[in-house]
Amino acid sequence: MSHKVHPKSFRIKGTEDWNVRGFYGKKMIQFLEEDILIKDFLTKKLAEASVANIEIEHSASKFNIIIETARPGIIIGRGGGGVENLKQIVEKKLSAIKKSDAKREIKIEIREIKNSWLSASLVAQWAGQQIEKRVPFRQVLKRSIERVMENKEAKGIRIELNGRLNGVEIARKEWLRQGRLPRNTIRADIDYSQAEAHCTYGAIGIKVWIYKGDKFD
């Protein structure tokens, strides 16, 4: 049997970086608890904002949150009110588990994703929404591949579905692929993500790989 490795962790220190960065020191337990709490909260809070990725940067006096989204207007709100409201909620949640009196400046940075069809996370989310609307799974696979491969930056794609597809009794795996996808090449720029579609007959797992060429240092 082959040994399966997460595509991003396979490339960390080569062409990819960690989603959570900074010096933890002696506060490893506290900072790790904060990271998990904030990521889970933002993922649920911004479920309709097409969030592709959330990065966190730690320092002695700052707590920086970077949100990559295809719909920044929903998060920012009128006059930036949405970001300020989000910042206040994050401050309250951090203060609830903070074990020291040291105050840190909280900063929320919004980065816009111009083309959502080049983000594996957003493609997986879209596929999940279509399956929850009871669109036939083969139609979802073909449409996803067509829309991604319309972009010149995309060199290849693979999308995989797992579960009771179309509500049948026996769960199975179905996938489609187009173009190149060198998953064993470390310099390959492969965007990977997974999501779930929650249907009346159970959960459907979704995995997406998008190959965008090679990266060289």
Side-chain angles (χ1 to χ4, degrees), residues 24-42:
Y24 280 56
K26 296 181 180 179
K27 298 182 179 180
M28 176 70 183
I29 297 175
Q30 177 194 336
F31 285 172
L32 188 60
E33 187 179 357
E34 291 176 357
D35 297 340
I36 295 171
L37 177 71
I38 296 305
K39 278 210 166 193
D40 289 346
F41 164 72
L42 291 176

Side-chain angles (χ1 to χ4, degrees), residues 101-184:
D101 298 329
K103 291 185 178 180
R104 287 181 293 164
E105 178 187 354
I106 297 175
K107 182 182 177 183
I108 298 178
E109 181 182 343
I110 309 297
R111 292 180 183 173
E112 182 182 3
I113 295 176
K114 295 182 180 179
N115 190 347
S116 60
W117 292 107
L118 289 174
S119 169
S121 177
L122 297 181
V123 172
Q125 290 177 33
W126 179 85
Q129 292 167 4
Q130 295 297 304
I131 290 172
E132 288 175 352
K133 293 177 182 177
R134 302 200 174 188
V135 178
F137 75 91
R138 292 191 187 280
Q139 191 174 335
V140 174
L141 290 174
K142 290 178 181 178
R143 281 185 183 176
S144 302
I145 289 176
E146 286 174 3
R147 296 189 180 184
V148 171
M149 294 305 291
E150 285 175 357
N151 302 280
K152 293 181 180 179
E153 294 90 342
K155 309 296 182 184
I157 178 177
R158 173 186 167 115
I159 180 167
E160 180 181 301
L161 303 179
N162 248 311
R164 294 179 57 191
L165 303 174
N166 288 348
V168 298
E169 290 186 5
I170 300 176
R172 68 183 191 277
K173 180 197 298 182
E174 292 285 346
W175 59 272
L176 282 180
R177 170 181 161 178
Q178 185 174 337
R180 293 184 62 228
L181 195 71
R183 285 183 286 174
N184 291 330

